[in-house]
Amino acid sequence: MWVLTPAAFAEKLLSVFRQPLSSLWRSLVPLFCWLRATFWLLATKRTKQQLVLREPDETKEEEEDPPLPATPTSVNYHFTRQCNYKCGFCFHTAKTSFVLPLEEAKRGLLLLKEAGMEKINFSGGEPFLQDRGEYLGKLVKFCKVELRLPSVSIVSNGSLIRERWFQNYGEYLDILAISCDSFDEEVNVLIGRGQGKKNHVENLQKLRTWCRDYRVAFKINSVINRFNVEEDMTEQIKALNPIRWKVFQCLLIEGENCGEDALREAERFVIDDEEFERFLERHKEVSCLVPESNQKMKDSYLILDEYMRFLNCRKGRKEPSKSILDVGVEEAIKFSGFDEKMFLKRGGKYIWSKADLKLDW
């Protein structure tokens, strides 16, 4: 773009006034047009520069702070998929036999503690299957003694637990949750909890006694399904007196208990919401009952698999993140699908340390 310099402007003006009066007006008209166009171009250029200078500030104002990563307050570590039972509705099946070396598992647990973990729950598969419970016991002790976690818990079917384990590791365990879906042994066999001559219900009574003797808080987990939905468990639950009775609605997970690549076919176990609500109504007098419908369970658990990968269930199947051992907790948890608000809404955080429970042993 051309712009008049002071010298050029003076020369142009002098050339105009040297002309005769008759042609002066004809010369001034194009000069005025030239001047108008020149100053309009200068003004346009200056405006564009001001807009460019303002753009970064305006963009900065519109940017929102990225959401903070979720805190792994309570983590469910399924360190093995192997199990000695064959529950038809199982949603974490024996797709691999992999178990991390003990020191690697400890390294991952330390990373979780540094990221804010307060409670660890060990599950499977059946967690007592690995090294007859020794692997699990060492992890429990590590979490309580070295990591000083407020709560360490286990979910087990109870069939492989021996009193010696309580003698060695009971002091480091806050809560033992035993899976019991029925107090009718025939129903347990139908579900897949049959163990030959062993009686699942009788074993439950024995474990309850050991928990009292070794000062471990006792909890019961039940999955309500087609075979037990009409059962009334009020009397038995009250007699066992667990600190919590978690009652789950049978849940389908593609690739685990439904779909082409699944190891289970759980469709025949599924009940609808109304049936689940009727079961809850039947047991409304049980004060320790904690119901969890499919909706409450959805995305409200932080699940860590045998490779220490978070499992995202938002699309109805388990999609793993990268392992926390490779990328760290903060990066891996972004892909966990964890809904922290739903975790709190379903009562995921409660008094979970036996030191705070003030139980009458």
Side-chain angles (χ1 to χ4, degrees):
M1 277 308 162
W2 46 266
V3 178
L4 279 176
T5 64
F9 176 73
E11 183 178 348
K12 188 72 177 176
L13 196 60
L14 285 172
S15 66
V16 169
F17 284 106
R18 288 193 191 104
Q19 297 178 26
L21 188 60
S22 60
S23 61
L24 182 59
W25 177 248
R26 290 196 302 270
S27 299
L28 284 174
V29 170
L31 178 60
F32 289 145
C33 292
W34 189 17
L35 287 171
R36 182 181 178 185
T38 300
F39 287 115
W40 179 82
L41 286 170
L42 283 171
T44 302
K45 187 176 180 181
R46 190 178 298 114
T47 302
K48 286 182 178 179
Q49 288 175 341
Q50 289 172 348
L51 286 172
V52 169
L53 288 172
R54 280 200 301 267
E55 279 177 2
D57 291 333
E58 290 172 359
T59 304
K60 188 174 182 180
E61 288 174 5
E62 292 174 0
E63 286 180 355
E64 294 182 0
D65 293 332
L68 295 173
T71 302
T73 308
S74 177
V75 178
N76 297 274
Y77 178 25
H78 296 250
F79 65 81
T80 179
R81 283 179 171 268
Q82 297 299 300
C83 188
N84 59 327
Y85 277 8
K86 295 180 179 179
C87 302
F89 49 71
C90 180
F91 63 86
H92 200 72
T93 54
K95 292 199 149 190
T96 78
S97 58
F98 180 80
V99 177
L100 274 173
L102 185 65
E103 293 307 312
E104 279 293 274
K106 287 181 178 180
R107 181 167 73 88
L109 291 167
L110 175 60
L111 292 174
L112 288 164
K113 168 64 188 303
E114 291 172 344
M117 179 174 68
E118 298 176 20
K119 180 181 186 293
I120 183 70
N121 180 54
F122 295 105
S123 188
E126 172 48 49
F128 282 89
L129 198 58
Q130 183 71 17
D131 297 334
R132 297 184 178 181
E134 283 300 302
Y135 181 94
L136 174 62
K138 290 171 182 176
L139 289 181
V140 167
K141 184 176 181 179
F142 172 76
C143 287
K144 183 57 73 172
V145 175
E146 297 190 42
L147 299 186
R148 302 178 69 84
L149 291 182
S151 183
V152 180
S153 65
I154 297 171
V155 174
S156 167
N157 62 40
S159 64
L160 302 175
I161 305 176
R162 302 292 179 264
E163 187 173 8
R164 179 172 291 182
W165 192 94
F166 280 96
Q167 293 169 348
N168 294 335
Y169 301 109
E171 63 180 297
Y172 312 115
L173 182 65
D174 290 279
I175 302 170
L176 175 64
I178 300 298
S179 299
C180 179
D181 304 315
S182 176
F183 290 92
D184 183 335
E185 196 60 26
E186 291 184 4
V187 174
N188 283 321
V189 172
L190 284 172
I191 288 171
R193 294 196 186 278
Q195 276 286 290
K197 294 181 180 179
K198 292 182 180 179
N199 186 296
H200 189 77
V201 177
E202 289 178 2
N203 193 53
L204 186 69
Q205 300 281 355
K206 182 173 60 178
L207 291 167
R208 178 67 184 96
T209 300
W210 285 344
C211 282
R212 183 193 65 224
D213 293 346
Y214 294 95
R215 297 180 176 242
V216 175
F218 182 69
K219 177 182 170 184
I220 296 175
N221 287 353
S222 300
V223 177
I224 309 308
N225 60 84
R226 179 58 53 207
F227 295 98
N228 66 1
V229 68
E230 301 300 332
E231 190 171 340
D232 189 342
M233 308 181 191
T234 303
E235 184 179 339
Q236 293 90 338
I237 294 295
K238 284 184 175 182
L240 288 165
N241 192 29
I243 60 161
R244 281 161 76 87
W245 179 32
K246 288 286 283 292
V247 174
F248 302 95
Q249 182 181 1
C250 182
L251 178 67
L252 295 179
I253 298 289
E254 187 181 346
E256 296 284 356
N257 60 14
C258 69
E260 292 182 2
D261 54 344
L263 297 183
R264 297 284 189 276
E265 295 179 0
E267 289 88 347
R268 65 193 181 99
F269 290 89
V270 173
I271 59 172
D272 60 36
D273 294 345
E274 289 184 5
E275 290 174 302
F276 184 64
E277 287 300 323
R278 284 201 300 271
F279 181 90
L280 298 180
E281 178 64 22
R282 192 182 310 128
H283 295 87
K284 63 184 179 181
E285 294 181 5
V286 181
S287 59
C288 61
L289 189 153
V290 180
E292 288 200 12
S293 63
N294 289 171
Q295 187 61 36
K296 281 188 176 180
M297 282 189 283
K298 180 177 170 56
D299 311 323
S300 66
Y301 283 86
L302 264 180
I303 302 174
L304 208 62
D305 75 358
E306 65 272 26
Y307 300 98
M308 285 200 156
R309 305 175 301 185
F310 288 113
L311 297 179
N312 186 333
C313 302
R314 289 202 167 185
K315 295 181 180 179
R317 61 180 297 117
K318 293 178 177 177
E319 297 180 353
S321 70
K322 292 183 178 179
S323 174
I324 65 171
L325 298 171
D326 297 327
V327 300
V329 176
E330 184 175 334
E331 181 63 24
I333 205 171
K334 293 176 184 176
F335 302 93
S336 66
F338 178 57
D339 187 337
E340 201 161 9
K341 290 182 180 178
M342 184 58 77
F343 164 74
L344 295 172
K345 185 177 180 180
R346 70 166 173 82
K349 193 164 185 178
Y350 57 97
I351 300 176
W352 51 33
S353 172
K354 64 181 178 182
D356 300 327
L357 285 168
K358 298 178 181 179
L359 297 175
D360 183 4
W361 302 107

